[in-house]
Amino acid sequence: MVRVQDDLFESVNAEWLEKTEIPADKPRIAAFGELEIEIEKRLADDFTEFNEVEPEDEKFRQALRFYKKAGDWKTRNQDDFSAVQSEVKKISQLQNLADMSDHLSDLILHTQASLPFGLSVETDMKDALNHMLVFTGPGLILPDTTYYAKDHPRKKELLDFWEKNVTEILEKLGIDGGAELAKKAVNFDALLVPSANTSEEWAKYPELYRPVDYSDFLKNIDTVNFSSFITEITTKSPEKIVIFEQRFYDSFNSLVSEDNWDLIQAWMIVKVALRHVSLLSEDLRVLGGAYQRFLSNIAEARSQVKHQLDVTESYFAQVIGLHYGKKYFGEAAKADVIRMIDVMVSIYKERLDKNTWLSRATIDQAIEKLDAMTVMVGYPEKLPDFYDQLIVGESSLYEDAVKFDQIFTKRHYEKFEEKVDKTEWFMPAHQVNAYNEPSSNQIVFPAAIMQPPFYSFENQTSSQNFGGIGAVIAHEISHSFDNNGAQFDKFGNLGKWWTDEDFAAFEEKQKEMIAQFDGVETEAGKANGRLIVSENIADNGGMSAALYAAEKEDDFSAKEFFSQWATVWRIKSSLEFQQMMLSIDVHAPGKLRANIPPTNFEEFYTAFDVQESDKMYRNPEKRLIIW
């Protein structure tokens, strides 16, 4: 039997690890995933009940109608693919790059075509009340740039599988020349790799902010008419374009060129054909998910019933979340969680006030940032207005989805001309997660995470709750002071508010955090400390504040606190999925999240009598508490 002193994760979760199987339709199972499965069951039961008596809420009625249509397999299996073929035809009829350039707004607003670049509307990092236009590359076939290295063991097999899979899909859709189109798409993808951001670059999101004067942007790009395109989709000329992928921007004219038009057109045809293949017949639904299953070693496709809910959630997420929150999230639990959040914020202020490595000026501004922080718990008070436009018609499921996509896309670009809505939620209430939005100085806790093992108002001790949801709450607060969040002020604007000396000291602590995780072996490979540093800083700060809060309770138990921490990070994953996450995920693997943060706290050593000879022991000079 594994001892706590040697492996907290394995010891606490021993029985769970032995008995729990990864579901055949998933790449992993974790504490988060177990809750997701329970929520799926609840929602499926709710939709079944509503089949008998329709809900009063009109938005949910439309979600129910879409749900029923998604489950009408007789109709789906009988439908032809003319709607897809019509979209493919629009791409096929483009004569050259100039022709594509002349039709960009129609392609993105109506055909919903993937374009060989990205142009999105985001909150302006340096002006958080307004929006900015962000320019990126179009994304890659493989998970990230590391998969394209010559020595990557899966590069060839994944690209070969993708090409073969796409060929089969195109043939079933009745699209001629599938094999050649798939090969050309892979060839265009290969051209994009050198200009694409690495996962590490994406993880340092404040460094992505590279504004270019709009006039200079237009001068720099001469293969595509962006002036006409941007005017048509926004009606307002921007002062700047923010470049998130600099190498792609610098290489644009050589990549998106007439010389490459044949490859680009094939890539666009493939993308539009694949976009909603899961909404067609059962054969195509299963075939359309084959690549993702192969990538993560998932044994089987989602069942038709689960798929039915997945599809409905993809368009009616906030509607379903509001239903879930109102039905399943009690006011007593909400009040208790808000109390815990208030405790965590006050503890953070206290700890900042006593900080010994920051100047008073930086401490005072950090406390001001906490005072200005907005907290949202449970579910939103209102839904975005565009949900009123989602009306399920008499056409096919595929055609409804295309219509909804057009609504979403139009709404996305309309935001550029509006002020940022600080009340908007970016997660539905039934999603098991939480987040910190730096541009709004806001922390959000959807209803779904407020249940065991994270939280129970009735069945968990205070130490267990602080080791679970308490640490999650403090984790999200800590993101305001991680390597990225610390660069945003109390208003959500990217800017310098630390003294140079203080930030230099903070960067030294970041290096220590990187060192704690970098190169640590897992069964899938070594952890990348630079990629995961922001989440590890948040885990460290979260544990520090939550432990301090738990100790103030009359029934405090350090064993319960640390054991619950290890419980919430329990996870089993396929090896292939673990390898992918090591390359792209900004979170450390669950076992490292469970085991490494506790080794920085003296309470852990006292609670479990951890000695220098034990594997969980960390030398005192190597222990790190940032916040």
Side-chain angles (χ1 to χ4, degrees):
M1 186 173 180
V2 179
R3 301 165 62 244
V4 171
Q5 296 91 333
D6 292 326
D7 193 323
L8 176 67
F9 175 88
E10 295 282 346
S11 178
V12 168
N13 298 312
E15 184 178 358
W16 184 89
L17 290 167
E18 180 182 356
K19 294 182 177 179
T20 304
E21 298 292 333
I22 300 172
D25 62 353
K26 291 181 178 291
R28 64 180 169 187
I29 185 66
F32 287 80
E34 289 174 313
L35 290 181
E36 288 167 358
I37 291 170
E38 288 302 313
I39 290 168
E40 281 178 359
K41 291 176 181 176
R42 286 179 185 174
L43 290 173
D45 289 344
D46 289 350
F47 272 105
T48 299
E49 289 178 16
F50 282 133
N51 275 330
E52 304 301 323
V53 181
E54 281 203 341
E56 294 182 6
D57 179 71
E58 176 59 25
K59 296 181 183 68
F60 203 92
R61 277 204 297 272
Q62 294 301 328
L64 177 62
R65 289 166 190 167
F66 194 75
Y67 178 81
K68 290 178 179 178
K69 188 177 284 191
D72 182 1
W73 291 100
K74 181 178 179 181
T75 300
R76 287 179 61 171
N77 288 328
Q78 289 175 349
D79 280 344
D80 60 27
F81 309 129
S82 56
V84 189
Q85 292 164 353
S86 176
E87 291 190 308
V88 167
K89 186 177 180 180
K90 290 180 182 179
I91 309 296
S92 301
Q93 289 178 334
L94 296 171
Q95 298 300 306
N96 48 40
L97 188 64
D99 196 14
M100 182 201 79
S101 179
D102 290 341
H103 292 88
L104 284 177
S105 60
D106 180 63
L107 287 168
I108 199 167
L109 293 175
H110 301 114
T111 307
Q112 301 292 297
S114 292
L115 299 174
F117 59 84
L119 190 70
S120 61
V121 178
E122 311 287 346
T123 300
D124 193 327
M125 289 189 194
K126 291 201 172 183
D127 180 11
L129 293 177
N130 293 296
H131 291 94
M132 62 182 177
L133 285 179
V134 173
F135 185 75
T136 66
L140 303 173
I141 292 172
L142 300 185
D144 85 326
T145 56
T146 62
Y147 274 72
Y148 291 87
K150 290 182 179 179
D151 59 350
H152 195 286
R154 299 204 71 197
K155 175 184 176 181
K156 185 177 187 306
E157 70 168 359
L158 287 172
L159 287 174
D160 286 350
F161 187 96
W162 187 88
E163 190 174 322
K164 181 175 180 292
N165 178 239
V166 168
T167 301
E168 291 181 54
I169 291 170
L170 295 178
E171 287 175 353
K172 280 189 176 291
L173 289 172
I175 297 169
D176 294 334
E180 186 65 21
L181 288 168
K183 184 177 293 294
K184 288 179 178 179
V186 170
N187 290 340
F188 181 62
D189 180 72
L191 295 178
L192 295 170
V193 175
S195 67
N197 280 357
T198 66
S199 291
E200 282 187 39
E201 287 173 318
W202 282 120
K204 299 175 184 177
Y205 55 85
E207 295 179 16
L208 299 176
Y209 190 88
R210 303 182 189 94
V212 173
D213 285 345
Y214 185 46
S215 58
D216 291 337
F217 176 86
L218 296 179
K219 289 176 185 176
N220 185 67
I221 293 178
D222 53 33
T223 60
V224 171
N225 181 4
F226 274 99
S227 177
S228 175
F229 172 50
I230 290 174
T231 300
E232 288 172 2
I233 63 172
T234 67
T235 73
K236 173 186 173 183
S237 290
E239 295 180 1
K240 66 191 177 197
I241 301 289
V242 179
I243 310 300
F244 272 12
E245 290 194 273
Q246 185 68 46
R247 290 187 298 278
F248 177 76
Y249 175 63
D250 294 338
S251 306
F252 187 88
N253 291 327
S254 60
L255 286 172
V256 186
S257 66
E258 191 59 44
D259 288 343
N260 292 332
W261 169 244
D262 194 38
L263 303 183
I264 293 169
Q265 186 177 40
W267 178 90
M268 290 175 66
I269 288 171
V270 167
K271 289 286 187 176
V272 80
L274 294 181
R275 183 165 56 96
H276 285 321
V277 71
S278 66
L279 305 184
L280 301 170
S281 67
E282 171 66 357
D283 286 348
L284 276 166
R285 177 186 81 86
V286 174
L287 191 60
Y291 171 69
Q292 289 300 324
R293 293 195 297 277
F294 183 70
L295 176 62
S296 299
N297 191 18
I298 300 172
E300 63 185 41
R302 298 273 280 171
S303 70
Q304 289 185 346
V305 172
K306 291 178 181 178
H307 160 80
Q308 190 179 354
L309 183 59
D310 292 343
V311 168
T312 310
E313 285 182 310
S314 68
Y315 289 100
F316 292 90
Q318 294 283 11
V319 175
I320 294 171
L322 189 59
H323 159 80
Y324 178 89
K326 287 182 175 179
K327 182 172 181 179
Y328 295 105
F329 189 51
E331 287 301 315
K334 182 175 182 178
D336 192 47
V337 170
I338 290 174
R339 178 192 67 82
M340 292 178 72
I341 293 171
D342 290 341
V343 168
M344 290 303 168
V345 171
S346 66
I347 284 173
Y348 238 101
K349 289 180 185 177
E350 181 181 342
R351 294 174 78 81
L352 280 166
D353 196 49
K354 296 177 180 178
N355 185 284
T356 58
W357 58 272
L358 290 175
S359 68
R360 192 69 233 177
T362 301
I363 289 171
D364 288 344
Q365 290 199 64
I367 291 174
E368 284 182 18
K369 185 173 182 179
L370 286 172
D371 285 333
M373 181 178 285
T374 302
V375 178
M376 299 197 289
V377 177
Y379 48 88
E381 295 299 318
K382 62 182 181 67
L383 297 178
D385 292 339
F386 65 78
Y387 277 111
D388 293 328
Q389 301 175 51
L390 303 188
I391 307 299
V392 179
E394 299 301 320
S395 54
S396 69
L397 177 70
Y398 180 94
E399 289 168 304
D400 272 345
V402 170
K403 179 178 66 177
F404 293 168
D405 286 343
Q406 292 170 351
I407 292 168
F408 289 162
T409 303
K410 182 174 180 288
R411 176 68 198 127
H412 178 76
Y413 288 108
E414 285 174 348
K415 286 185 175 183
F416 179 64
E417 302 167 49
E418 301 171 0
K419 295 293 183 183
V420 173
D421 181 359
K422 299 286 188 178
T423 67
E424 184 176 2
W425 285 52
F426 299 117
M427 281 182 187
H430 66 292
Q431 185 169 337
V432 186
N433 214 326
Y435 67 91
N436 179 305
E437 177 50 52
S439 64
S440 298
N441 191 19
Q442 178 184 85
I443 52 175
V444 182
F445 302 94
I449 200 170
M450 312 299 182
Q451 49 190 321
F454 296 93
Y455 171 82
S456 174
F457 184 60
E458 298 174 339
N459 298 318
Q460 291 184 183
T461 67
S462 65
S463 293
Q464 288 175 313
N465 279 339
F466 277 113
I469 196 63
V472 171
I473 290 167
H475 169 105
E476 297 305 337
I477 295 172
S478 299
H479 270 311
S480 293
F481 307 101
D482 69 20
N483 59 309
N484 293 320
Q487 299 182 59
F488 292 82
D489 66 18
K490 64 181 179 180
F491 302 109
N493 293 319
L494 178 63
K496 181 181 175 183
W497 56 273
W498 298 55
T499 67
D500 290 340
E501 294 78 11
D502 286 347
F503 204 79
F506 180 49
E507 287 181 319
E508 288 304 309
K509 292 185 180 296
Q510 291 179 48
K511 291 177 183 177
E512 291 183 58
M513 183 59 70
I514 290 171
Q516 282 200 357
F517 286 80
D518 197 46
V520 176
E521 289 284 357
T522 73
E523 64 175 328
K526 294 180 179 179
N528 180 347
R530 292 173 298 282
L531 176 63
I532 57 181
V533 63
S534 64
E535 293 295 335
N536 293 334
I537 291 173
D539 276 349
N540 182 277
M543 176 166 282
S544 177
L547 180 60
Y548 188 76
E551 288 174 318
K552 293 176 177 287
E553 299 289 325
D554 293 337
D555 60 347
F556 171 67
S557 165
K559 286 185 176 181
E560 288 182 355
F561 177 90
F562 289 110
S563 295
Q564 200 69 15
W565 169 267
T567 298
V568 301
W569 298 120
R570 64 191 182 200
I571 186 171
K572 291 180 78 170
S573 310
S574 72
L575 183 62
E576 293 82 355
F577 187 78
Q578 291 179 55
Q579 290 168 341
M580 182 172 68
M581 290 295 101
L582 280 176
S583 296
I584 68 173
D585 194 0
V586 295
H587 302 84
K591 184 171 181 175
L592 301 192
R593 295 187 79 172
N595 280 349
I596 292 180
T599 64
N600 292 296
F601 295 88
E602 186 60 36
E603 291 88 342
F604 172 73
Y605 295 88
T606 302
F608 296 106
D609 191 27
V610 179
Q611 301 297 317
E612 191 170 352
S613 58
D614 297 325
K615 293 179 181 178
M616 289 287 293
Y617 185 84
R618 182 180 300 278
N619 289 327
E621 65 272 16
K622 295 291 185 181
R623 297 174 195 172
L624 175 65
I625 300 175
I626 297 181
W627 300 118

